[in-house]
Amino acid sequence: MVGASLAGLSAARSLRKRGYDGRLVVIGDEPHRPYDRPPLSKEFLAGAVAEADLMLEADDEDLGAEWLLGARAVGLQADGVERALLLDDGREVRADGVVVATGAAARNLPGTEGLAGVHTLRTLDDARALRDELALGGRLVVIGGGFIGAEVASTAYALGLDVTVIEAAPTPSPDPSARPWAGSSPPSTRPTAYGCCAASGSKG
């Protein structure tokens, strides 16, 4: 199983439910067991939920799986019916079948790699870093006014930050639940020709 988030966990559960009792290996490039991502851009940033509340596995759940966390799958070799997954640390994992459940990757704003104060929000570690910086107050620019960007903006606004949203579309997210500033002065919104996001957004 390549991918240790919700999709990978769901696939592993389905295999066990259908009677598969063989070796099951779950590979994930993050060091964390499966967790719920949607709250990262709102409830977790606001401090309304703790990390323990994000965990997707039940306390008594045991899928009998081997978890290889903090390891990225970088290749697949196939020789007839035999397959081998190649990991970035040099290990190989042999398997009769492979499920790819990696999801999307975060989109980074070109030229921002390594710059202090620039965040991409996709993982728990991303959310931790952004939450710590939001606690300092000040001004936040969110690039991307989709659902995730709007939730980050609304959370930061509720925390008292001065927020600017840069979005290619004429208006930000149409979901009013992501815009708690309705009825008051909202974060300023500026159009741009580049519709990615340094604080949110993804690419398939």
Side-chain angles (χ1 to χ4, degrees):
M1 196 75 59
V2 183
S5 193
L6 176 60
L9 176 62
S10 297
R13 285 170 170 167
S14 181
L15 284 170
R16 292 306 194 205
K17 185 176 181 180
R18 291 172 178 268
Y20 176 72
D21 59 1
R23 185 189 182 203
L24 181 59
V25 181
V26 183
I27 302 169
D29 60 356
E30 294 184 60
H32 313 291
R33 296 286 281 254
Y35 60 88
D36 197 17
R37 292 184 188 273
L40 294 181
S41 56
K42 191 172 184 179
E43 293 91 342
F44 183 75
L45 285 185
V49 299
E51 291 186 18
D53 300 321
L54 302 176
M55 299 299 107
L56 292 173
E57 296 172 274
D59 291 338
D60 59 349
E61 185 172 15
D62 183 7
L63 294 173
E66 299 175 38
W67 295 83
L68 301 184
L69 302 177
R72 182 186 298 272
V74 295
L76 174 64
Q77 294 180 340
D79 182 11
V81 296
E82 292 189 0
R83 298 172 179 84
L85 278 163
L86 309 179
L87 306 185
D88 60 356
D89 59 8
R91 286 181 293 174
E92 291 187 4
V93 180
R94 298 196 172 276
D96 297 320
V98 177
V99 175
V100 178
T102 53
R107 176 182 293 173
N108 296 312
L109 188 65
T112 62
E113 292 80 1
L115 291 181
V118 178
H119 301 268
T120 299
L121 180 56
R122 166 141 180 90
T123 69
L124 176 57
D125 291 336
D126 293 338
R128 286 172 176 168
L130 179 57
R131 183 185 61 182
D132 290 345
E133 192 143 340
L134 292 181
L136 301 176
R139 183 176 182 183
L140 177 70
V141 176
V142 178
I143 304 178
F147 185 78
I148 296 176
E151 285 205 329
V152 171
S154 68
T155 301
Y157 180 77
L159 291 173
L161 280 77
D162 180 11
V163 181
T164 297
V165 178
I166 300 178
E167 168 57 43
T171 58
S173 172
D175 185 350
S177 68
R179 305 194 306 275
W181 56 76
S184 60
S185 299
S188 58
T189 305
R190 301 177 182 176
T192 179
Y194 195 83
C196 78
C197 190
S200 65
S202 64
K203 59 184 178 181

